[in-house]
Amino acid sequence: MADPRVNGRAAAEVDAVVVGAGPAGSAAAWALARAGKSVVLLERGPFPGSKNLYGGVVYGRILDEIVPRWWEEVPVQRWVVRRSTMVMTATQALTVDFRTQAWGRPPYNGMTVYRADFDRWLAGKAVEAGATLVTSTVATGLLRDEAGRIAGVRTDRPDGDLRARIVIACDGVNSFLAKEARLLPRTNPEHLTLGVKEVLALPREVIDERFGLRGDEGLDIEILGCTGDIPGGGFLYTNGDTVSVGVVLSLAHLGKAGKRPEEVIAGLKAHPAIAPYLRGATLKEYGAHLIPEGGYNHMPALYTDGMLVAGDAAGMCLAAGIWLEGVNFAIGSGLAAGRAAAKALDAGDLSASGLSVYQRELEKGFVLANHERLRGAPDLVLSERVQRRYPGLVADLVEGMFTVTDPKPKPGLLALLRRAARRNDVKLRHLLADGLRGGRVFR
Amino acid sequence: MSKAGSGSAGPVIVVCLRPADPAARVDPVSGHVDRDPGMLGLPPAEAAALEYGLRVAEAWSGRVLAVTAGDASADEVLRQVAALGVEVLRVPWHAADEEYVADLAADERALAAALAAAIRKATGPDGPALVLTGDRSADRGTGALPAYLAHELGAAQALGLVGLEATGDHLVAERRLDGGRRERLRVPRPAVCSVEAAGVRLRRAGLPGLLAAASAQVPVAAAAPAGGPQVTVGRARPFRPRARVVPPPAGASARERLLRLTGVLDTHEPPTVIGPVDAAEAADALLDFLRRTGHLEAQDAADAAAR
Ligand SMILES: Cc1cc2nc3c(=O)[nH]c(=O)nc-3n(C[C@H](O)[C@H](O)[C@H](O)COP(=O)(O)OP(=O)(O)OC[C@H]3O[C@@H](n4cnc5c(N)ncnc54)[C@H](O)[C@@H]3O)c2cc1C
């Protein structure tokens, strides 16, 4: 057999191996290949994206760095031009609906895409740049050299050891490699949520009509208060001829509640504000996946001798209530990791100190800047009051405002607020404190 | 591209593969097939054919040549096959595969002729010792190609096999028969055999092989001779069976006729609950029931005659 070659060089030891061809891994492999390094991108699924699950919206501007005018070729379902935030109780729903045609034109804001299409497309860019993609192959452990430094990965293939000068772990939430390198602590359910999603088929014209859309316009609804006793949130996104509907549930509370996630989705789908959108839809897909929601305060160390961690593996999904963005953060951190690794390879210093350039790259960019600024958000957003009592309070307040009480005179706003707070077991001083805290967190 | 046992003078085992998209969508009215080239993979029967090919090649110290007729979208699958240390070859072939019916009309005889020409050229004067295929391709599935291939190559044929083994210089094949029986066949060389996806799993390629094959060029055979379709296909129409005349239900009133139609007042044998009993008693009870209802008579008579 011919000597295996990667990027024209013998594969006995490649410059880098990137584990996981999700958005983080493909971006890292692209950056390395562009810098002329030999890089192998390992993916356990039969193709990139085959094992991945998420809600459905990608914010694409970070792709400017990889593909100029990416919107002309990205496998998009719809461009999001309408974004609603819904606050719900079992019988009420308040929606703040925003629409702008500016988001329907290049360079666009958000798009709904299927991960199977998007991840495959992005990995294709890494391959075009010169990375070698190896699918259906699981990285089962780290290889170390005589000095104990990380020196590649072990895979489940026959003759499956792959020596590399640097390993970039992009293997997603709960990263097995980051744990083996002792960067990621043992799983703590407090910092994880469970995302559960259904994809429901509806004819394109029905989606257009029900959601007020035309052509390739799309809608993104984020929902608070739809998860009953379990802190969490929900979402509904439109694709070409399907809609994605799902919930994100606090893992620790889900365990205690003894409730099945599909019951929570069923509750959301049956809600009077959601059910009319989904009438007649048929189930195409159901899936569940963990989300690292700990944020900045719970990120692992991002590098060690011979290894970097990026994307969800490093807990870089931004989950701050009105935002649930992971793919753009994964791409941003993957690019930073790839560039930092290329620099360290050029400098010939793959020690932790040589790789610390990664942290600096990330701090310069949006990934760590956003996470650091919103470091208080996960605790606030996932708190009991925000998730379970404020939706009721807001809905009761608005119901009071819009209920006409003739022949009684209209009640004052403060009286309505007090009543709503009492009904939902919220103390006004807590409301004030949380308001101030929210102001500080989202300043 | 990698060559298994290249330089070995042993016999050549050819495996014909047709990659397919397992999730291809077919429009039930127009017959339009929507395939995703990125999803092309080896269907289970083709993977089984390849595994048998590798085993036979090992037993005979031969080499394996995997041949696919198609366009460049098949190259990725061929690279994965090459990672197993197999020689690969693509025969340029443009299937009219957007339309199922048109694809069928494009005639498997012409396809077999093109494949046979490429195989003959690649295997030299000795020709292949054995040609293996899946029993029927996953996305059109007439199962006729191996027979045409055998005809073109002047080889013996054994189709729809569930087992194939090289013993010494011979091939012993196994095939299902009705009634759960099997037949064993001694297959002479050269032969064309098609196998079902039963009993074997394709081995995994080693990592060095995968890396070597990842960016390799797939050899393409010379253009196949153009053979026009031999089958004429008319307009595709939905299947509309003739209406059957069903006797009207008896009864004077509409209610009676409705009762007769729905059978609500007919007496039914109530479900029998047996047990708790062990498996043997349960089986006896079931056999008794089948005998009582006449389902086993034919089989009993046949068994008695056989005794
Ligand atoms: C329900 C849900 C809804 C979400 N909604 C959104 C949303 O709308 N928008 C958004 O931007 N983000 C969303 N996210 C977050 C987003 O999915 C992640 O942040 C993002 O996918 C992280 O990308 P990644 O490349 O780091 O990891 P992943 O996408 O998880 O990719 C990891 C890859 O590594 C592979 N892998 C894992 N282990 C191994 C191994 N040992 N060997 C080889 N390969 C391996 C996996 O197969 C996978 O392809 C959502 C997440 C969930 C669960």
Side-chain angles (χ1 to χ4, degrees), chain A residues 1-6 11 14 40 42 46-47 117 120 132-138 155-162 241 284, chain B residues 1-6 25 36-40 76 80 82-86 203-215:
Chain A
M1 165 150 323
D3 208 17
R5 301 187 85 72
V6 173
V14 289
V40 173
L42 284 185
F47 60 86
D117 297 339
R120 199 142 43 114
T132 299
L133 172 67
V134 175
T135 54
S136 301
T137 304
V138 184
T155 73
D156 65 341
R157 290 256 170 205
D159 298 327
D161 286 0
L162 184 58
D241 53 6
K284 270 189 84 175
Chain B
M1 185 123 266
S2 56
K3 287 185 182 174
S6 45
R25 281 186 298 181
D36 179 350
M39 292 288 284
L40 286 186
E76 193 42 49
Q80 283 164 23
L84 288 161
V86 165
R203 65 194 65 187
R204 298 192 80 206
L207 193 60
L210 265 184
L211 291 174
S215 54

Short mmCIF file of all heavy atoms in Angstrom, two decimals, chain A residues 1-6 11 14 40 42 46-47 117 120 132-138 155-162 241 284, chain B residues 1-6 25 36-40 76 80 82-86 203-215:
data_model
loop_
_atom_site.label_atom_id
_atom_site.label_comp_id
_atom_site.label_asym_id
_atom_site.label_seq_id
_atom_site.Cartn_x
_atom_site.Cartn_y
_atom_site.Cartn_z
N MET A 1 0.83 -1.20 0.00
CA MET A 1 0.00 0.00 0.00
C MET A 1 0.86 1.25 0.00
O MET A 1 1.89 1.29 0.64
CB MET A 1 -0.86 -0.03 1.27
CG MET A 1 -1.47 1.29 1.56
SD MET A 1 -3.03 1.13 2.39
CE MET A 1 -3.73 -0.28 1.63
N ALA A 2 0.41 2.25 -0.74
CA ALA A 2 1.17 3.50 -0.81
C ALA A 2 1.26 4.12 0.58
O ALA A 2 0.39 3.92 1.41
CB ALA A 2 0.48 4.45 -1.76
N ASP A 3 2.31 4.88 0.78
CA ASP A 3 2.47 5.54 2.06
C ASP A 3 1.35 6.56 2.24
O ASP A 3 1.15 7.41 1.38
CB ASP A 3 3.83 6.27 2.03
CG ASP A 3 4.39 6.39 3.42
OD1 ASP A 3 3.91 5.66 4.29
OD2 ASP A 3 5.30 7.22 3.60
N PRO A 4 0.57 6.46 3.32
CA PRO A 4 -0.50 7.43 3.47
C PRO A 4 0.04 8.85 3.49
O PRO A 4 1.02 9.13 4.17
CB PRO A 4 -1.12 7.08 4.82
CG PRO A 4 -0.61 5.75 5.18
CD PRO A 4 0.63 5.52 4.41
N ARG A 5 -0.62 9.74 2.73
CA ARG A 5 -0.13 11.11 2.69
C ARG A 5 -1.29 12.05 3.00
O ARG A 5 -2.42 11.82 2.61
CB ARG A 5 0.45 11.43 1.31
CG ARG A 5 1.59 10.51 0.93
CD ARG A 5 2.26 10.94 -0.34
NE ARG A 5 3.28 11.95 -0.11
CZ ARG A 5 4.46 11.71 0.47
NH1 ARG A 5 4.76 10.51 0.90
NH2 ARG A 5 5.34 12.68 0.64
N VAL A 6 -0.99 13.09 3.73
CA VAL A 6 -1.98 14.10 4.04
C VAL A 6 -1.41 15.42 3.60
O VAL A 6 -0.29 15.76 4.01
CB VAL A 6 -2.27 14.12 5.56
CG1 VAL A 6 -3.18 15.29 5.88
CG2 VAL A 6 -2.89 12.81 6.00
N ALA A 11 1.65 10.73 6.37
CA ALA A 11 0.66 10.86 7.44
C ALA A 11 1.11 10.21 8.73
O ALA A 11 0.36 10.18 9.69
CB ALA A 11 -0.66 10.27 6.99
N VAL A 14 0.96 13.87 11.43
CA VAL A 14 0.45 15.08 10.79
C VAL A 14 0.67 16.26 11.73
O VAL A 14 0.96 16.08 12.91
CB VAL A 14 -1.05 14.94 10.46
CG1 VAL A 14 -1.26 13.96 9.33
CG2 VAL A 14 -1.85 14.55 11.68
N VAL A 40 -5.82 16.43 9.81
CA VAL A 40 -6.85 15.41 9.64
C VAL A 40 -8.04 15.79 10.50
O VAL A 40 -7.88 16.12 11.68
CB VAL A 40 -6.32 14.01 10.05
CG1 VAL A 40 -7.44 12.99 10.02
CG2 VAL A 40 -5.20 13.58 9.13
N LEU A 42 -11.36 14.42 12.06
CA LEU A 42 -12.01 13.12 12.37
C LEU A 42 -13.47 13.34 12.73
O LEU A 42 -13.78 14.23 13.51
CB LEU A 42 -11.35 12.48 13.59
CG LEU A 42 -10.01 11.81 13.46
CD1 LEU A 42 -9.67 11.16 14.80
CD2 LEU A 42 -10.05 10.76 12.37
N PRO A 46 -21.24 9.14 9.84
CA PRO A 46 -20.91 8.80 8.46
C PRO A 46 -20.66 10.03 7.60
O PRO A 46 -20.03 9.93 6.57
CB PRO A 46 -22.13 8.02 7.97
CG PRO A 46 -23.20 8.29 8.94
CD PRO A 46 -22.58 8.68 10.24
N PHE A 47 -21.17 11.18 8.00
CA PHE A 47 -20.81 12.44 7.33
C PHE A 47 -21.00 13.56 8.35
O PHE A 47 -21.74 13.39 9.33
CB PHE A 47 -21.65 12.66 6.07
CG PHE A 47 -23.13 12.73 6.31
CD1 PHE A 47 -23.75 13.92 6.66
CD2 PHE A 47 -23.92 11.58 6.20
CE1 PHE A 47 -25.11 13.97 6.90
CE2 PHE A 47 -25.29 11.63 6.42
CZ PHE A 47 -25.88 12.83 6.78
N ASP A 117 -26.98 19.53 6.35
CA ASP A 117 -26.54 20.28 5.17
C ASP A 117 -25.41 21.24 5.52
O ASP A 117 -24.40 21.33 4.83
CB ASP A 117 -27.70 21.11 4.59
CG ASP A 117 -28.84 20.26 4.10
OD1 ASP A 117 -28.61 19.07 3.84
OD2 ASP A 117 -29.96 20.78 4.00
N ARG A 120 -22.03 19.64 6.61
CA ARG A 120 -21.40 19.00 5.46
C ARG A 120 -20.77 20.07 4.57
O ARG A 120 -19.67 19.92 4.06
CB ARG A 120 -22.45 18.20 4.69
CG ARG A 120 -21.90 17.16 3.79
CD ARG A 120 -22.74 15.90 3.76
NE ARG A 120 -24.15 16.13 3.69
CZ ARG A 120 -24.92 15.81 2.65
NH1 ARG A 120 -24.38 15.27 1.58
NH2 ARG A 120 -26.21 15.99 2.69
N THR A 132 -7.87 16.73 5.44
CA THR A 132 -8.31 15.37 5.11
C THR A 132 -9.42 14.98 6.08
O THR A 132 -9.20 14.93 7.29
CB THR A 132 -7.14 14.39 5.23
OG1 THR A 132 -6.13 14.79 4.31
CG2 THR A 132 -7.58 12.97 4.92
N LEU A 133 -10.60 14.75 5.53
CA LEU A 133 -11.75 14.40 6.38
C LEU A 133 -11.85 12.89 6.46
O LEU A 133 -11.85 12.20 5.44
CB LEU A 133 -13.03 14.98 5.77
CG LEU A 133 -14.34 14.56 6.41
CD1 LEU A 133 -14.47 15.10 7.83
CD2 LEU A 133 -15.54 15.04 5.57
N VAL A 134 -11.90 12.37 7.67
CA VAL A 134 -12.07 10.92 7.86
C VAL A 134 -13.34 10.71 8.67
O VAL A 134 -13.43 11.15 9.82
CB VAL A 134 -10.85 10.32 8.60
CG1 VAL A 134 -11.08 8.86 8.90
CG2 VAL A 134 -9.60 10.49 7.76
N THR A 135 -14.34 10.07 8.05
CA THR A 135 -15.63 9.91 8.73
C THR A 135 -15.77 8.50 9.32
O THR A 135 -14.89 7.66 9.13
CB THR A 135 -16.79 10.16 7.74
OG1 THR A 135 -16.58 9.31 6.62
CG2 THR A 135 -16.83 11.59 7.30
N SER A 136 -16.88 8.27 9.99
CA SER A 136 -17.18 6.98 10.64
C SER A 136 -16.02 6.51 11.51
O SER A 136 -15.73 5.32 11.57
CB SER A 136 -17.51 5.90 9.59
OG SER A 136 -18.61 6.29 8.83
N THR A 137 -15.35 7.43 12.13
CA THR A 137 -14.17 7.09 12.93
C THR A 137 -14.23 7.85 14.26
O THR A 137 -14.34 9.07 14.26
CB THR A 137 -12.89 7.50 12.17
OG1 THR A 137 -12.92 6.87 10.90
CG2 THR A 137 -11.64 7.09 12.91
N VAL A 138 -14.18 7.10 15.34
CA VAL A 138 -14.29 7.72 16.67
C VAL A 138 -12.91 7.86 17.28
O VAL A 138 -12.13 6.90 17.29
CB VAL A 138 -15.15 6.83 17.61
CG1 VAL A 138 -15.35 7.51 18.96
CG2 VAL A 138 -16.48 6.51 16.97
N THR A 155 -7.86 5.90 17.63
CA THR A 155 -9.21 5.82 17.05
C THR A 155 -9.69 4.36 17.08
O THR A 155 -8.92 3.45 17.39
CB THR A 155 -9.24 6.30 15.58
OG1 THR A 155 -8.60 5.31 14.76
CG2 THR A 155 -8.55 7.64 15.41
N ASP A 156 -10.95 4.19 16.73
CA ASP A 156 -11.52 2.83 16.77
C ASP A 156 -11.29 2.07 15.46
O ASP A 156 -11.87 1.01 15.27
CB ASP A 156 -13.02 2.91 17.08
CG ASP A 156 -13.80 3.59 15.96
OD1 ASP A 156 -13.18 4.31 15.14
OD2 ASP A 156 -15.03 3.42 15.91
N ARG A 157 -10.48 2.59 14.57
CA ARG A 157 -10.17 1.88 13.32
C ARG A 157 -9.04 0.89 13.55
O ARG A 157 -8.20 1.11 14.42
CB ARG A 157 -9.68 2.88 12.28
CG ARG A 157 -10.73 3.79 11.77
CD ARG A 157 -11.15 3.37 10.41
NE ARG A 157 -12.33 4.11 10.00
CZ ARG A 157 -13.19 3.65 9.11
NH1 ARG A 157 -13.02 2.48 8.55
NH2 ARG A 157 -14.23 4.35 8.76
N PRO A 158 -8.95 -0.16 12.73
CA PRO A 158 -7.74 -0.99 12.78
C PRO A 158 -6.53 -0.09 12.49
O PRO A 158 -6.62 0.83 11.67
CB PRO A 158 -7.96 -2.00 11.65
CG PRO A 158 -9.43 -2.00 11.40
CD PRO A 158 -9.95 -0.67 11.77
N ASP A 159 -5.41 -0.37 13.14
CA ASP A 159 -4.19 0.47 13.03
C ASP A 159 -4.55 1.94 13.24
O ASP A 159 -4.11 2.82 12.50
CB ASP A 159 -3.53 0.37 11.65
CG ASP A 159 -3.07 -1.04 11.36
OD1 ASP A 159 -2.68 -1.72 12.32
OD2 ASP A 159 -3.12 -1.45 10.18
N GLY A 160 -5.35 2.19 14.24
CA GLY A 160 -6.02 3.49 14.32
C GLY A 160 -5.30 4.58 15.08
O GLY A 160 -5.92 5.60 15.36
N ASP A 161 -4.03 4.41 15.44
CA ASP A 161 -3.35 5.51 16.13
C ASP A 161 -2.94 6.57 15.12
O ASP A 161 -2.38 6.26 14.07
CB ASP A 161 -2.09 5.01 16.85
CG ASP A 161 -2.47 4.23 18.09
OD1 ASP A 161 -3.69 4.09 18.35
OD2 ASP A 161 -1.56 3.75 18.80
N LEU A 162 -3.22 7.80 15.44
CA LEU A 162 -2.86 8.90 14.54
C LEU A 162 -2.01 9.90 15.32
O LEU A 162 -2.51 10.58 16.23
CB LEU A 162 -4.13 9.58 14.02
CG LEU A 162 -3.93 10.68 13.00
CD1 LEU A 162 -3.17 10.17 11.78
CD2 LEU A 162 -5.28 11.23 12.56
N ASP A 241 -40.00 23.46 4.28
CA ASP A 241 -41.30 22.81 4.40
C ASP A 241 -41.42 22.01 5.69
O ASP A 241 -42.05 20.96 5.74
CB ASP A 241 -41.60 21.93 3.17
CG ASP A 241 -40.48 20.95 2.90
OD1 ASP A 241 -39.54 20.90 3.73
OD2 ASP A 241 -40.52 20.23 1.89
N LYS A 284 -41.53 14.42 11.59
CA LYS A 284 -40.49 13.86 10.70
C LYS A 284 -39.30 13.37 11.50
O LYS A 284 -38.63 12.43 11.10
CB LYS A 284 -39.99 14.96 9.75
CG LYS A 284 -40.75 15.04 8.47
CD LYS A 284 -40.08 15.97 7.50
CE LYS A 284 -38.97 15.28 6.72
NZ LYS A 284 -38.39 16.15 5.69
N MET B 1 -3.84 4.79 -7.20
CA MET B 1 -4.76 4.27 -6.18
C MET B 1 -4.23 2.97 -5.61
O MET B 1 -3.53 2.25 -6.28
CB MET B 1 -6.13 4.09 -6.82
CG MET B 1 -7.18 3.68 -5.88
SD MET B 1 -8.58 4.80 -5.87
CE MET B 1 -8.21 5.89 -4.57
N SER B 2 -4.61 2.65 -4.40
CA SER B 2 -4.03 1.50 -3.73
C SER B 2 -4.39 0.20 -4.44
O SER B 2 -5.45 0.06 -5.01
CB SER B 2 -4.56 1.45 -2.31
OG SER B 2 -5.95 1.42 -2.35
N LYS B 3 -3.49 -0.73 -4.36
CA LYS B 3 -3.73 -2.02 -5.02
C LYS B 3 -3.52 -3.13 -4.01
O LYS B 3 -2.45 -3.23 -3.43
CB LYS B 3 -2.76 -2.21 -6.17
CG LYS B 3 -3.11 -1.34 -7.34
CD LYS B 3 -2.21 -1.63 -8.50
CE LYS B 3 -2.60 -0.68 -9.63
NZ LYS B 3 -1.79 -0.72 -10.77
N ALA B 4 -4.56 -3.94 -3.82
CA ALA B 4 -4.41 -5.05 -2.90
C ALA B 4 -3.53 -6.08 -3.55
O ALA B 4 -3.74 -6.47 -4.68
CB ALA B 4 -5.76 -5.66 -2.60
N GLY B 5 -2.57 -6.50 -2.81
CA GLY B 5 -1.72 -7.54 -3.33
C GLY B 5 -1.20 -7.23 -4.71
O GLY B 5 -1.11 -8.09 -5.56
N SER B 6 -0.94 -5.97 -4.99
CA SER B 6 -0.53 -5.61 -6.33
C SER B 6 0.76 -6.36 -6.63
O SER B 6 1.59 -6.58 -5.77
CB SER B 6 -0.34 -4.10 -6.47
OG SER B 6 0.36 -3.62 -5.37
N ARG B 25 -35.65 10.13 -2.37
CA ARG B 25 -37.10 10.29 -2.36
C ARG B 25 -37.65 10.11 -3.77
O ARG B 25 -37.11 10.66 -4.72
CB ARG B 25 -37.48 11.66 -1.82
CG ARG B 25 -37.39 11.69 -0.30
CD ARG B 25 -37.91 12.98 0.24
NE ARG B 25 -37.11 14.10 -0.25
CZ ARG B 25 -37.34 15.37 0.09
NH1 ARG B 25 -38.32 15.66 0.89
NH2 ARG B 25 -36.58 16.34 -0.37
N ASP B 36 -29.43 12.56 -3.17
CA ASP B 36 -28.44 13.50 -2.67
C ASP B 36 -27.07 12.86 -2.90
O ASP B 36 -26.74 11.87 -2.24
CB ASP B 36 -28.70 13.73 -1.17
CG ASP B 36 -27.68 14.68 -0.58
OD1 ASP B 36 -26.68 14.99 -1.26
OD2 ASP B 36 -27.89 15.10 0.58
N PRO B 37 -26.26 13.39 -3.82
CA PRO B 37 -24.98 12.74 -4.13
C PRO B 37 -24.09 12.63 -2.89
O PRO B 37 -23.31 11.68 -2.76
CB PRO B 37 -24.33 13.66 -5.16
CG PRO B 37 -25.37 14.61 -5.60
CD PRO B 37 -26.47 14.61 -4.60
N GLY B 38 -24.26 13.55 -1.94
CA GLY B 38 -23.44 13.50 -0.73
C GLY B 38 -23.81 12.34 0.17
O GLY B 38 -23.08 12.01 1.11
N MET B 39 -24.97 11.75 -0.07
CA MET B 39 -25.42 10.66 0.81
C MET B 39 -25.13 9.29 0.21
O MET B 39 -25.49 8.27 0.80
CB MET B 39 -26.94 10.76 1.04
CG MET B 39 -27.38 11.94 1.85
SD MET B 39 -26.94 11.74 3.56
CE MET B 39 -28.19 10.58 4.06
N LEU B 40 -24.51 9.26 -0.98
CA LEU B 40 -24.27 7.96 -1.61
C LEU B 40 -23.42 7.07 -0.72
O LEU B 40 -22.42 7.49 -0.16
CB LEU B 40 -23.54 8.16 -2.94
CG LEU B 40 -24.36 8.71 -4.11
CD1 LEU B 40 -23.52 8.70 -5.36
CD2 LEU B 40 -25.62 7.90 -4.31
N GLU B 76 -16.29 9.14 -4.15
CA GLU B 76 -16.07 9.15 -2.71
C GLU B 76 -16.26 7.72 -2.15
O GLU B 76 -15.48 7.25 -1.32
CB GLU B 76 -17.04 10.13 -2.05
CG GLU B 76 -16.74 10.47 -0.60
CD GLU B 76 -15.25 10.70 -0.33
OE1 GLU B 76 -14.61 11.47 -1.07
OE2 GLU B 76 -14.72 10.08 0.62
N GLN B 80 -13.48 5.07 -0.36
CA GLN B 80 -13.64 4.32 0.89
C GLN B 80 -13.39 2.82 0.66
O GLN B 80 -12.85 2.13 1.52
CB GLN B 80 -15.03 4.54 1.47
CG GLN B 80 -15.13 5.90 2.15
CD GLN B 80 -16.55 6.33 2.40
OE1 GLN B 80 -17.45 5.50 2.48
NE2 GLN B 80 -16.75 7.62 2.55
N ALA B 82 -11.41 1.68 -1.69
CA ALA B 82 -9.97 1.54 -1.93
C ALA B 82 -9.20 1.48 -0.60
O ALA B 82 -8.13 0.87 -0.52
CB ALA B 82 -9.46 2.70 -2.77
N ALA B 83 -9.77 2.10 0.44
CA ALA B 83 -9.11 2.10 1.74
C ALA B 83 -8.99 0.68 2.30
O ALA B 83 -8.19 0.41 3.20
CB ALA B 83 -9.87 2.97 2.72
N LEU B 84 -9.77 -0.27 1.73
CA LEU B 84 -9.68 -1.66 2.18
C LEU B 84 -8.58 -2.40 1.42
O LEU B 84 -8.46 -3.63 1.54
CB LEU B 84 -11.02 -2.37 1.94
CG LEU B 84 -12.15 -1.93 2.87
CD1 LEU B 84 -13.50 -2.31 2.30
CD2 LEU B 84 -11.96 -2.57 4.24
N GLY B 85 -7.82 -1.68 0.63
CA GLY B 85 -6.74 -2.32 -0.12
C GLY B 85 -7.23 -2.96 -1.40
O GLY B 85 -6.69 -3.97 -1.85
N VAL B 86 -8.26 -2.37 -1.97
CA VAL B 86 -8.88 -2.93 -3.17
C VAL B 86 -8.56 -2.00 -4.34
O VAL B 86 -8.52 -0.79 -4.17
CB VAL B 86 -10.42 -2.98 -2.93
CG1 VAL B 86 -11.17 -3.20 -4.21
CG2 VAL B 86 -10.75 -4.05 -1.91
N ARG B 203 -15.81 -5.58 6.49
CA ARG B 203 -14.78 -5.20 7.47
C ARG B 203 -14.53 -3.70 7.43
O ARG B 203 -14.85 -3.03 6.43
CB ARG B 203 -13.49 -5.97 7.16
CG ARG B 203 -12.89 -5.59 5.84
CD ARG B 203 -11.84 -6.55 5.38
NE ARG B 203 -12.36 -7.88 5.10
CZ ARG B 203 -11.59 -8.92 4.81
NH1 ARG B 203 -10.28 -8.79 4.73
NH2 ARG B 203 -12.13 -10.09 4.58
N ARG B 204 -13.94 -3.14 8.49
CA ARG B 204 -13.63 -1.71 8.52
C ARG B 204 -12.24 -1.50 7.97
O ARG B 204 -11.32 -2.29 8.25
CB ARG B 204 -13.68 -1.19 9.95
CG ARG B 204 -15.03 -1.33 10.57
CD ARG B 204 -15.08 -0.55 11.86
NE ARG B 204 -15.29 0.86 11.58
CZ ARG B 204 -14.91 1.84 12.37
NH1 ARG B 204 -14.27 1.57 13.49
NH2 ARG B 204 -15.15 3.10 12.07
N ALA B 205 -12.08 -0.44 7.24
CA ALA B 205 -10.75 -0.12 6.71
C ALA B 205 -9.87 0.39 7.84
O ALA B 205 -10.36 1.02 8.78
CB ALA B 205 -10.88 0.95 5.64
N GLY B 206 -8.59 0.12 7.74
CA GLY B 206 -7.65 0.66 8.72
C GLY B 206 -7.42 2.14 8.46
O GLY B 206 -7.66 2.64 7.35
N LEU B 207 -6.96 2.84 9.49
CA LEU B 207 -6.76 4.29 9.35
C LEU B 207 -5.71 4.64 8.29
O LEU B 207 -5.95 5.54 7.47
CB LEU B 207 -6.39 4.90 10.71
CG LEU B 207 -6.46 6.41 10.77
CD1 LEU B 207 -7.85 6.93 10.46
CD2 LEU B 207 -6.03 6.90 12.14
N PRO B 208 -4.56 3.94 8.23
CA PRO B 208 -3.59 4.31 7.20
C PRO B 208 -4.18 4.16 5.79
O PRO B 208 -3.96 5.02 4.94
CB PRO B 208 -2.44 3.31 7.41
CG PRO B 208 -2.59 2.85 8.81
CD PRO B 208 -4.05 2.89 9.11
N GLY B 209 -4.98 3.11 5.57
CA GLY B 209 -5.60 2.91 4.26
C GLY B 209 -6.54 4.06 3.93
O GLY B 209 -6.56 4.58 2.82
N LEU B 210 -7.33 4.46 4.93
CA LEU B 210 -8.27 5.56 4.72
C LEU B 210 -7.55 6.84 4.36
O LEU B 210 -7.95 7.57 3.45
CB LEU B 210 -9.04 5.81 6.01
CG LEU B 210 -10.37 5.15 6.19
CD1 LEU B 210 -11.00 5.62 7.48
CD2 LEU B 210 -11.31 5.49 5.03
N LEU B 211 -6.48 7.12 5.09
CA LEU B 211 -5.74 8.36 4.83
C LEU B 211 -5.12 8.31 3.44
O LEU B 211 -5.10 9.31 2.73
CB LEU B 211 -4.66 8.57 5.90
CG LEU B 211 -5.20 8.89 7.30
CD1 LEU B 211 -4.06 8.93 8.31
CD2 LEU B 211 -5.94 10.21 7.30
N ALA B 212 -4.61 7.14 3.08
CA ALA B 212 -3.97 7.03 1.77
C ALA B 212 -4.99 7.23 0.65
O ALA B 212 -4.70 7.84 -0.37
CB ALA B 212 -3.31 5.66 1.63
N ALA B 213 -6.19 6.70 0.89
CA ALA B 213 -7.19 6.74 -0.19
C ALA B 213 -7.92 8.08 -0.24
O ALA B 213 -8.52 8.42 -1.26
CB ALA B 213 -8.19 5.62 0.00
N ALA B 214 -7.85 8.84 0.87
CA ALA B 214 -8.71 10.02 1.00
C ALA B 214 -8.59 10.98 -0.18
O ALA B 214 -9.58 11.54 -0.63
CB ALA B 214 -8.41 10.75 2.30
N SER B 215 -7.38 11.19 -0.66
CA SER B 215 -7.26 12.20 -1.72
C SER B 215 -6.79 11.56 -3.04
O SER B 215 -6.35 12.26 -3.94
CB SER B 215 -6.28 13.27 -1.27
OG SER B 215 -5.07 12.64 -0.89
#
